[in-house]
Amino acid sequence: MSVLPSGALGDLDPTSDRAVFRQIADQLREAIGRGRFREGEKLPSEAELVEHYGVSRMTVRNSFSILQGEGLVHAEHGKGVFVRPRPPVRRLASDRFARHHREQGRSAFLVEADAAGGRPAVDSLVVKEEKASPEVSARLGAVRRVLVRRRRYLLDGRPVEFAASYLPLDIARGTPIAEADPGPGGIYARLEELGHRLDHFDEEIRARMPSPDEVRTLRLAPGVPVIHLVRTAFDTDGRAVEVCDTVMAADAYVLAYQLPAT
Amino acid sequence: MSVLPSGALGDLDPTSDRAVFRQIADQLREAIGRGRFREGEKLPSEAELVEHYGVSRMTVRNSFSILQGEGLVHAEHGKGVFVRPRPPVRRLASDRFARHHREQGRSAFLVEADAAGGRPAVDSLVVKEEKASPEVSARLGAVRRVLVRRRRYLLDGRPVEFAASYLPLDIARGTPIAEADPGPGGIYARLEELGHRLDHFDEEIRARMPSPDEVRTLRLAPGVPVIHLVRTAFDTDGRAVEVCDTVMAADAYVLAYQLPAT
DNA sequence: TAGTGGTCTAGACCACATA
DNA sequence: ATGTGGTCTAGACCACTAC
């Protein structure tokens, strides 16, 4: 007699070449997909699945670890294994750096947070001068030292991205950009006041699994990749005036862009 | 006596709260980061690590599974566990749909492949009519049925992305777009010939872990996320004339965009 | 206290790769 | 034939959660 709700999960196929733990993962995945287990709902416990399938506990745990790697479920010690709810997603629109936002004294993050309806926050702000990495130096045009602004962004208390801005010293040193609070409209507004009228931004996007550091900083669940975005800001003279390196929790973002057809 | 090259890996800290298998993973990760094990190089075998650390085999395997989930290493049955080499990356430039490319009779994929220096190929092409999904219908403006073109792209024999294009039947039916080979410049060139002069494209980008289907289709290694891109093409009348849903192996791509500052 | 997942052991047999 | 990773068992003890 199974202890599980009838019909939730099937039997194993002993004639199949597919490993037992994969068959179990397949059945759980399929049950989740069918809505048999909903978001946030608890899956059967390891002990229940051991009994239901007649396998050892490690085999069941192996199945769970597959689903965890896929980002489908997450385990809570002492409570159970749950279907991972999808967090609300922030949409980054391609006009998020438009001048009319800056002129209203609003930073890009606040503009986006409003659109998402969440409560935004910034923490672990660090501003200092340091040696430029080869990547940053290449993008900024062979500068040796840069002003760095590091910060982490949170939405409703959840860390969603952290970023580092790099600016050439001859532009930023001794200006409000080097202050903890650069003032309304953020550093892009200050750059324009300093005579660097912005022309366009280049953005490069990659996706990959996070490093252990990134898992900590963003409190990432297993199976959640990061989006790595590197933006370079150019002024109307064609000079690169800032590089911003951003790592985002991929389950919290949709990036939107508009491409010309011409 | 350790069987490992001296200095490659340290000892465990029995006083640490950190689980043994995590400590082992940390040491291997750090050794890889330091270049002690290089791309493509074989790590010590499970048996060697069992001996070196004095732990059971499952503990060592647990460590490997962490690194595999991070996309750092991959196992080859009967051979060993290797540091994952980074594949060559294709850069998708923001002008990849520019008209001057189409007018040279070149499809976007070929333009990009040239830039990456790889040998491009397309397979599993399917063209048919089907019911529009709610998502596609919402983007195309409440159409019921659509023409679908599905295909997979390969570079040097490796699958790197697969895509499905959806077009309203009143636009595409009975035209070269419904043929297996739509001709030089691809379907965007045909759309323009049919009087739908293209104005711009909207692209939405997400990153996530792949489904088992996607792992199969793209032959993805463990620990490799996918980039999910949905592009909508608009003509100069403001009508959405095509939706293209693309899933890309994240380790094979960098996406580049240009944002206006105004 | 009972139930849950987290870690770890010490085996076993198998399939694949290399020589 | 040997060494490699792949799968699986049947336990053990621990830490966390809920009652």
Side-chain angles (χ1 to χ4, degrees):
Chain A
M1 272 291 286
S2 166
V3 289
L4 298 179
S6 74
L9 298 171
D11 297 318
L12 297 177
D13 174 5
T15 71
S16 168
D17 279 349
R18 193 152 176 85
V20 171
F21 74 94
R22 291 187 201 284
Q23 291 188 48
I24 296 176
D26 290 345
Q27 293 193 10
L28 290 167
R29 189 189 301 110
E30 208 255 351
I32 292 169
R34 280 206 327 266
R36 178 63 192 74
F37 303 108
R38 294 161 194 276
E39 288 194 7
E41 201 170 328
K42 187 177 166 305
L43 295 182
S45 73
E46 295 177 355
E48 285 169 335
L49 291 172
V50 162
E51 167 142 5
H52 176 82
Y53 287 114
V55 298
S56 80
R57 191 177 158 218
M58 282 310 295
T59 302
V60 168
R61 282 182 63 77
N62 244 329
S63 311
F64 277 153
S65 102
I66 291 185
L67 300 178
Q68 215 162 112
E70 293 172 359
L72 259 184
V73 308
H74 69 110
E76 295 183 33
H77 196 167
K79 297 209 274 192
V81 176
F82 300 83
V83 180
R84 262 248 310 275
R86 292 146 194 262
V89 167
R90 301 179 55 215
R91 183 190 166 90
L92 299 198
S94 53
D95 75 340
R96 65 191 184 278
F97 297 117
R99 188 165 288 123
H100 62 85
H101 287 139
R102 284 197 297 282
E103 286 170 349
Q104 291 169 9
R106 307 164 55 63
S107 79
F109 188 78
L110 295 178
V111 171
E112 302 148 12
D114 262 18
R119 182 174 47 80
V122 181
D123 73 357
S124 53
L125 180 70
V126 177
V127 183
K128 59 172 184 165
E129 298 184 3
E130 62 180 42
K131 189 170 176 303
S133 71
E135 294 78 16
V136 167
S137 182
R139 286 191 161 84
L140 286 180
V143 302
R144 278 215 303 281
R145 290 184 65 79
V146 286
L147 180 81
V148 190
R149 300 181 55 92
R150 296 180 202 283
R151 66 276 187 197
R152 186 173 67 158
Y153 297 101
L154 303 93
L155 209 63
D156 294 327
R158 186 205 165 189
V160 290
E161 79 176 80
F162 64 90
S165 280
Y166 304 90
L167 298 106
L169 287 186
D170 69 287
I171 291 180
R173 182 184 263 169
T175 73
I177 295 174
E179 304 295 323
D181 179 0
I187 61 176
Y188 292 145
R190 294 298 86 67
L191 281 169
E192 298 219 308
E193 288 168 6
L194 291 166
H196 298 281
R197 188 165 176 83
L198 295 174
D199 184 71
H200 68 278
F201 303 89
D202 278 355
E203 295 201 337
E204 282 191 1
I205 301 171
R206 290 174 176 76
R208 55 172 170 75
M209 291 313 280
S211 72
D213 261 9
E214 292 163 345
V215 168
R216 240 188 327 276
T217 306
L218 295 176
R219 293 208 291 269
L220 292 172
V224 178
V226 291
I227 296 173
H228 187 168
L229 191 157
V230 179
R231 175 176 55 251
T232 309
F234 292 89
D235 66 14
T236 48
D237 294 335
R239 178 180 180 189
V241 293
E242 186 231 20
V243 168
C244 183
D245 186 295
T246 303
V247 176
M248 297 177 276
D251 62 355
Y253 281 95
V254 183
L255 309 185
Y257 291 93
Q258 203 170 90
L259 301 181
T262 50
Chain B
M1 274 291 285
S2 167
V3 289
L4 297 179
S6 75
L9 297 170
D11 297 318
L12 298 177
D13 174 5
T15 72
S16 168
D17 279 352
R18 193 150 176 84
V20 172
F21 75 94
R22 291 187 203 284
Q23 291 188 47
I24 296 176
D26 291 344
Q27 293 194 10
L28 291 168
R29 189 189 301 110
E30 208 256 349
I32 292 169
R34 280 205 327 268
R36 178 62 193 76
F37 302 109
R38 294 161 193 277
E39 289 194 6
E41 202 171 328
K42 187 177 166 304
L43 295 181
S45 73
E46 295 178 354
E48 284 169 336
L49 291 172
V50 162
E51 167 142 5
H52 176 82
Y53 288 113
V55 297
S56 80
R57 190 177 160 218
M58 282 309 294
T59 302
V60 169
R61 283 181 63 76
N62 244 330
S63 312
F64 277 154
S65 103
I66 291 185
L67 300 178
Q68 213 162 115
E70 293 172 0
L72 259 185
V73 307
H74 69 110
E76 295 183 33
H77 196 168
K79 298 209 274 192
V81 176
F82 300 83
V83 180
R84 260 245 314 272
R86 289 143 194 268
V89 167
R90 301 178 55 214
R91 182 190 167 90
L92 300 198
S94 53
D95 75 340
R96 64 192 186 278
F97 297 117
R99 188 165 289 123
H100 62 88
H101 286 139
R102 284 197 296 282
E103 286 170 348
Q104 291 170 6
R106 307 165 56 65
S107 80
F109 187 78
L110 295 179
V111 172
E112 302 148 13
D114 262 15
R119 183 174 47 79
V122 182
D123 74 355
S124 52
L125 180 70
V126 177
V127 183
K128 60 173 183 163
E129 298 184 5
E130 62 180 43
K131 191 169 175 302
S133 71
E135 293 79 15
V136 167
S137 182
R139 286 192 161 83
L140 285 180
V143 301
R144 278 214 304 280
R145 291 183 63 80
V146 285
L147 180 80
V148 190
R149 300 181 56 91
R150 295 181 203 282
R151 65 279 187 194
R152 184 171 70 157
Y153 296 102
L154 303 93
L155 208 61
D156 295 326
R158 185 205 164 188
V160 289
E161 81 176 77
F162 64 90
S165 281
Y166 304 90
L167 299 106
L169 286 186
D170 69 289
I171 289 179
R173 181 183 264 169
T175 74
I177 295 173
E179 304 296 323
D181 178 1
I187 62 177
Y188 292 145
R190 295 296 85 70
L191 280 168
E192 297 219 307
E193 288 168 5
L194 292 165
H196 298 281
R197 188 164 175 84
L198 295 174
D199 183 72
H200 68 277
F201 303 89
D202 278 355
E203 295 201 338
E204 281 192 0
I205 300 172
R206 290 174 176 76
R208 54 172 171 75
M209 292 311 282
S211 71
D213 261 9
E214 291 163 344
V215 169
R216 240 189 327 277
T217 306
L218 295 177
R219 294 207 290 269
L220 291 171
V224 178
V226 291
I227 296 173
H228 188 168
L229 191 159
V230 180
R231 175 175 55 251
T232 309
F234 292 89
D235 66 14
T236 49
D237 294 335
R239 178 179 181 187
V241 293
E242 185 231 21
V243 168
C244 182
D245 186 295
T246 302
V247 176
M248 296 177 276
D251 62 356
Y253 282 95
V254 183
L255 309 186
Y257 291 93
Q258 202 168 92
L259 302 181
T262 49

